[in-house]
């Protein structure tokens, strides 16, 4: 009788643990990027990265994890940290160091609470 009760309790605990892990995985897997946009633009004195990101859930950290800026003219690249916020969506613009007369594009890595997505921008002459 005692062995039967121990076995039932063990099975019950195993089921409870499995269900809690499944519920956590389902919540974690449900996050997705709804929209990610990034483009380079310029004024006479500054190169800008304009961006928009939207997810399906609220995030404590949402924004750009990194900007890998490619200088097509020289063949070099540099990596910069991007701005972060929180919420479901975030739209902003940030200045990126650049040399006048050079052509650029960027690979932008968006970040939302552990999830990332990378997109390539347009190419622009600054």
């Amino acid at each position: 009788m005692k062995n039967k009760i121990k076995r039932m309790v063990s099975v019950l605990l195993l089921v409870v643990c499995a269900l809690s892990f499944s519920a956590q995985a389902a919540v974690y897997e449900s996050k997705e990027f709804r929209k990610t946009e990034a483009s380079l633009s310029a004024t006479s004195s500054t190169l800008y990265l304009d961006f928009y990101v939207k997810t399906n859930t609220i995030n404590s950290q949402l924004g750009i994890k990194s900007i890998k800026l490619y200088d097509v003219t020289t063949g070099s690249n540099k990596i910069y940290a991007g701005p972060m916020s929180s919420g479901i969506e975030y739209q902003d613009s940030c200045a990126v160091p650049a040399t006048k007369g050079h052509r650029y594009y960027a690979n932008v890595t968006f970040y939302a609470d552990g999830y990332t997505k990378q997109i390539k921008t347009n190419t622009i002459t600054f």
Side-chain angles (χ1 to χ4, degrees), residues 40 47 67-80 96-107 120-126:
L40 294 174
L47 180 67
I67 303 162
K68 190 170 188 179
L69 186 67
Y70 291 87
D71 185 332
V72 178
T73 307
T74 64
S76 63
N77 65 69
K78 291 185 181 177
I79 298 175
Y80 302 99
V96 184
T99 304
K100 284 294 262 179
H102 289 216
R103 287 182 57 75
Y104 293 96
Y105 72 90
N107 282 336
K120 183 180 175 181
T121 68
N122 57 310
T123 301
I124 188 172
T125 300
F126 174 54

Side-chain angles (χ1 to χ4, degrees), residues 6-124:
K6 284 182 183 179
R7 193 174 326 148
M8 285 177 47
V9 169
S10 296
V11 169
L12 182 61
L13 288 173
L14 185 62
V15 169
V16 168
C17 286
L19 288 175
S20 69
F21 285 125
S22 296
Q24 273 186 324
V27 168
Y28 191 71
E29 290 176 14
S30 66
K31 185 179 298 288
E32 64 184 50
F33 288 96
R34 293 288 169 100
K35 196 166 201 173
T36 51
E37 297 175 347
S39 64
L40 294 174
S41 63
T43 63
S44 61
S45 60
T46 307
L47 180 67
Y48 290 99
L49 176 72
D50 306 308
F51 67 91
Y52 175 74
V53 59
K54 182 176 183 178
T55 63
N56 65 329
T57 60
I58 295 173
N59 304 277
S60 59
Q61 287 191 309
L62 177 67
I64 295 179
K65 182 176 183 178
S66 66
I67 303 162
K68 190 170 188 179
L69 186 67
Y70 291 87
D71 185 332
V72 178
T73 307
T74 64
S76 63
N77 65 69
K78 291 185 181 177
I79 298 175
Y80 302 99
M84 287 283 181
S85 186
S86 61
I88 292 176
E89 62 185 318
Y90 181 32
Q91 182 173 3
D92 204 352
S93 184
C94 60
V96 184
T99 304
K100 284 294 262 179
H102 289 216
R103 287 182 57 75
Y104 293 96
Y105 72 90
N107 282 336
V108 178
T109 303
F110 288 97
Y111 181 87
D113 287 347
Y115 284 84
T116 60
K117 180 179 179 182
Q118 188 177 83
I119 67 169
K120 183 180 175 181
T121 68
N122 57 310
T123 301
I124 188 172

